[in-house]
Amino acid sequence: MAAHNNAARTIAAVFLTASFGFAQSLAVKTHLIVGDAFTVDISHARSDPSRPQNDAKAKNSNQVRVLETGSNGSLLEWIEGPTQYDDPAQAGNPIVAGASKALDNLKLLVKLGPDGEYLGLQNEADVTKQLQAVVETVMKQIVASVPDEQKAGM
């Protein structure tokens, strides 16, 4: 079970960095079995000493299930869980809440190579469309929150 937990933590790092567009190589050394399922709990912390009012902590639980495994690698289903914010101001912010809700239940089909290295998303095109829709929604909310007299310069 410890191997699964370590693998889950390592896999989580890939999804976080992949979600935000950072490249990272990863090798997961574990024996996955079709049907294995586990939860990956992720804690996010943002801190900026120059703008402490923007500091935030959040956490979410994600469900991961092994769909396929073989000599060519494995396919994992990762379902994004709801995000919980420690700061009531973040949780009550309609833009943050809307973006978080839009990502709830986001389904990633993660391809791992035979040695456990991250190869990519099988459903990358679908995920990209969903993420673009979230960005468009958030941008509309941001523009709508700007006072009309400031919109003239946009």
Side-chain angles (χ1 to χ4, degrees):
M1 190 61 168
H4 290 301
N5 290 338
N6 289 336
R9 286 187 197 105
T10 307
I11 292 167
V14 167
F15 297 121
L16 287 176
T17 55
S19 297
F20 295 104
F22 300 111
Q24 177 177 334
S25 71
L26 171 74
V28 177
K29 303 277 187 189
T30 187
H31 178 69
L32 298 173
I33 299 170
V34 172
D36 278 354
F38 47 93
T39 300
V40 178
D41 294 319
I42 299 174
S43 294
H44 311 268
R46 182 181 64 214
S47 178
D48 182 351
S50 67
R51 296 171 43 187
Q53 70 275 15
N54 291 335
D55 290 356
K57 291 181 182 176
K59 60 185 171 190
N60 69 334
S61 293
N62 305 281
Q63 303 302 311
V64 180
R65 186 168 53 106
V66 180
L67 299 178
E68 298 173 11
T69 190
S71 61
N72 292 330
S74 301
L75 180 65
L76 307 179
E77 176 186 63
W78 172 289
I79 299 178
E80 187 77 14
T83 301
Q84 300 169 334
Y85 294 92
D86 288 350
D87 180 1
Q90 289 287 332
N93 181 320
I95 295 171
V96 172
S100 293
K101 182 144 182 72
L103 294 174
D104 288 355
N105 296 311
L106 178 67
K107 183 170 137 179
L108 305 173
L109 297 176
V110 180
K111 298 183 291 186
L112 299 178
D115 292 326
E117 72 273 15
Y118 174 77
L119 299 178
L121 295 176
Q122 181 173 309
N123 64 336
E124 184 174 355
D126 292 336
V127 171
T128 300
K129 286 179 190 175
Q130 289 177 301
L131 293 176
Q132 286 173 337
V134 171
V135 169
E136 289 173 14
T137 300
V138 169
M139 291 306 296
K140 286 178 185 175
Q141 291 174 332
I142 290 171
V143 170
S145 70
V146 174
D148 288 338
E149 57 274 3
Q150 291 181 356
K151 286 181 185 176
M154 294 177 80

